[in-house]
Amino acid sequence: MPEQAQFELFAFWRSSAAFRVRVALNLKGLSAHEQNIDLDAGEQRSDAFLKVSPLGSIPALVQEGHEPLTQSLAILEFLDELQPSPPLLPNDLYGRARVRSIASMCAADTHPMVVPRVKKYLQTTGGFDDAAWRAWQIKWLGTGLAAIEARLAGSSETGVYCHGNQPTLADICLASIVAVTRVFKITVPDIPTIDRIMSVCDQHPAFMKADPKKQAGAPV
C-alpha cells in the first residue's frame, strides 16, 4: 500500500458495491489504494482473495493492523463513525431509519439480483442465454428502482437528495444502482424523482470521481 494511502480497497471498476465505498471515501476526504480484483477473470475466487473476503465478494477495505472489512453497508457505516463529518446519516432516529431503509432497498434487495455469481448460476445451471440474462437484469433493476421511486416521491422527507439536502447513505446506494443501469445500458422509465436526485449527484465531485467509467480497468 502506498505510504500516503490510509486504506487498501479491493474493488472492480464496474462493481456497484465498490462504487459505494469510493463515494464515501471521497465524501470523507479519506484515501485508499485500490487493488483491482477482476470479476470477469474470476480473481475473486483465488485462494489469496478468499483469505481477505471468504465469500469472494467485493469490496473489501483493509487498514494496516486490522482484519479486512467486507460488505459495503458495513464499510459505509464504519467510515461514517471513523470520520463523522460530513455525516452520512441524519441526526434524528426516524431519519436514520428511513435512510438505512432506502439504502437497503438498493443494496440488499435490488443489487444482489444482478451480481456476477447470480449470472454465473443462471447461465450454467438455470439455462439462461444472454437474452434471458438481460431480461432478468431489466426486470429486477426496474422493479427495485420503481419501488424506490414510489418511496421517494411519496415522502415529505425527500429533498434535493433522498433525505433532505445533503447526500446520505441512501444517495450513495441509489447512485450505485443507477450506475449499474448505465454500465449495462438499461433505461428504467417513469422514475422522475430518482432522475432529479441523480442529476444532482452527477454534479457532485465525490460521485463524479467514483464513476465506474473513470476507474482503472474500465473499457476505453
Side-chain angles (χ1 to χ4, degrees), residues 7-11 17-18 20-21 37 44 48-63 66-79 117:
F7 299 96
E8 185 164 18
L9 175 64
F10 293 83
R20 295 170 205 142
V21 175
I37 301 296
Q44 70 275 24
F49 184 63
L50 289 174
K51 292 178 181 177
V52 176
S53 175
L55 191 60
S57 61
I58 57 173
L61 188 71
V62 180
Q63 188 173 34
H66 299 274
E67 70 176 67
L69 300 175
T70 61
Q71 302 303 319
S72 63
L73 290 180
I75 294 172
L76 295 185
E77 295 222 24
F78 163 78
L79 294 173
R117 61 180 176 270

Side-chain angles (χ1 to χ4, degrees), residues 121-168:
Y121 180 84
L122 290 174
Q123 292 193 324
T124 59
T125 305
F128 274 42
D129 59 13
D130 288 343
W133 170 244
R134 182 165 178 82
W136 175 276
Q137 290 177 302
I138 292 169
K139 162 68 176 176
W140 294 114
L141 289 168
T143 297
L145 288 173
I148 296 162
E149 171 69 24
R151 181 73 175 273
L152 295 172
S155 175
S156 61
E157 300 291 340
T158 303
V160 173
Y161 291 95
C162 290
H163 190 88
N165 298 322
Q166 299 295 327
T168 66

Side-chain angles (χ1 to χ4, degrees), residues 33-213:
H33 171 253
E34 191 161 319
Q35 182 165 325
N36 186 60
I37 301 296
D38 190 337
L39 299 183
D40 293 333
E43 291 180 358
Q44 70 275 24
R45 295 185 292 275
S46 69
D47 290 341
F49 184 63
L50 289 174
K51 292 178 181 177
V52 176
S53 175
L55 191 60
S57 61
I58 57 173
L61 188 71
V62 180
Q63 188 173 34
E64 189 173 353
H66 299 274
E67 70 176 67
L69 300 175
T70 61
Q71 302 303 319
S72 63
L73 290 180
I75 294 172
L76 295 185
E77 295 222 24
F78 163 78
L79 294 173
D80 202 34
E81 293 180 20
L82 175 70
Q83 175 58 268
S85 180
L88 301 182
L89 288 165
N91 290 328
D92 64 293
L93 178 65
Y94 281 95
R96 289 194 298 274
R98 178 177 183 267
V99 164
R100 287 186 174 112
S101 175
I102 296 167
S104 293
M105 290 174 75
C106 301
D109 289 331
T110 303
H111 177 229
M113 301 297 290
V114 296
V115 295
R117 61 180 176 270
V118 171
K119 177 182 180 181
K120 181 180 179 181
Y121 180 84
L122 290 174
Q123 292 193 324
T124 59
T125 305
F128 274 42
D129 59 13
D130 288 343
W133 170 244
R134 182 165 178 82
W136 175 276
Q137 290 177 302
I138 292 169
K139 162 68 176 176
W140 294 114
L141 289 168
T143 297
L145 288 173
I148 296 162
E149 171 69 24
R151 181 73 175 273
L152 295 172
S155 175
S156 61
E157 300 291 340
T158 303
V160 173
Y161 291 95
C162 290
H163 190 88
N165 298 322
Q166 299 295 327
T168 66
L169 291 182
D171 302 285
I172 294 173
C173 292
L174 177 59
S176 75
I177 299 301
V178 173
V180 170
T181 67
R182 292 171 177 174
V183 166
F184 293 108
K185 297 180 171 56
I186 293 170
T187 300
V188 178
D190 303 322
I191 50 171
T193 311
I194 290 175
D195 290 340
R196 176 183 61 74
I197 292 170
M198 287 302 97
S199 70
V200 179
C201 291
D202 286 341
Q203 300 302 313
H204 194 298
F207 290 81
M208 294 169 67
K209 187 178 178 182
D211 187 332
K213 296 187 294 295

